[in-house]
Amino acid sequence: MSNEPIELQAALATFTDLWSPRIVTRVNDYDVRIAKVEGEHVWHAHDDTDEFFLVLDGELDISLREGDGASAAERTVTLPRGAVFVVPRGVEHRPSSSGGASILMFEPTGTLSVGDRHETVPSHVDVTTGHALAGRHGTAR
């Protein structure tokens, strides 16, 4: 990881893959990841960790299933640019963006982008734990 400032817009300009996070830096045992998203991701949950979202550009919807089984209630939160939201551990959720968005996520290193519980993973979803950010992305001058 770099010990120089990282300009997020420059880092986002280095890739076009959707739902394929890039690791910008690490803080203790946590990854700071950025991603470009459009359309729907998969329903998933993280059993052992919360998931932090910050919308850098665009708008992100996060559908949530709260409760168990047949009594689970669904709701959707909409995050405009600059908004943050934390999905609590164990809550099933599905991020989506009809117009596209750029997001920053903060989660433990090794956390799968499709969570711990999911049925099938569409072929367009990159199931890695994030890719290293390529190149140098210092502060814009």
Side-chain angles (χ1 to χ4, degrees):
M1 294 285 123
S2 172
N3 62 355
E4 295 295 324
I6 297 169
E7 207 287 314
L8 293 178
Q9 292 305 319
L12 284 161
T14 65
F15 64 97
T16 59
D17 301 326
L18 298 175
W19 302 109
S20 183
R22 299 303 194 264
I23 300 168
V24 176
T25 193
R26 289 197 170 96
V27 178
N28 297 317
D29 297 329
Y30 282 76
D31 289 344
V32 178
R33 301 175 183 177
I34 56 173
K36 293 180 179 180
V37 300
E38 189 169 2
E40 291 183 344
H41 197 41
V42 295
W43 279 102
H44 66 282
H46 302 281
D47 293 331
D48 298 317
T49 186
D50 300 335
E51 188 170 16
F52 172 90
F53 291 89
L54 164 64
V55 178
L56 301 170
D57 193 33
E59 187 173 270
L60 183 72
D61 292 320
I62 303 176
S63 297
L64 303 160
R65 288 183 181 149
E66 299 171 308
D68 293 323
S71 65
E74 281 191 27
R75 72 180 179 110
T76 299
V77 295
T78 298
L79 307 176
R81 180 177 183 231
V84 299
F85 184 76
V86 174
V87 176
R89 71 188 69 206
V91 173
E92 228 182 337
H93 59 286
R94 181 185 65 201
S96 64
S97 178
S98 60
S102 297
I103 60 175
L104 181 142
M105 296 162 291
F106 189 72
E107 51 200 356
T109 298
T111 300
L112 296 174
S113 64
V114 293
D116 304 319
R117 296 179 272 144
H118 54 274
E119 293 177 15
T120 59
V121 179
S123 61
H124 72 277
V125 174
D126 185 338
V127 188
T128 70
T129 56
H131 298 288
L133 186 61
R136 188 184 144 120
H137 310 288
T139 304
R141 296 172 198 234

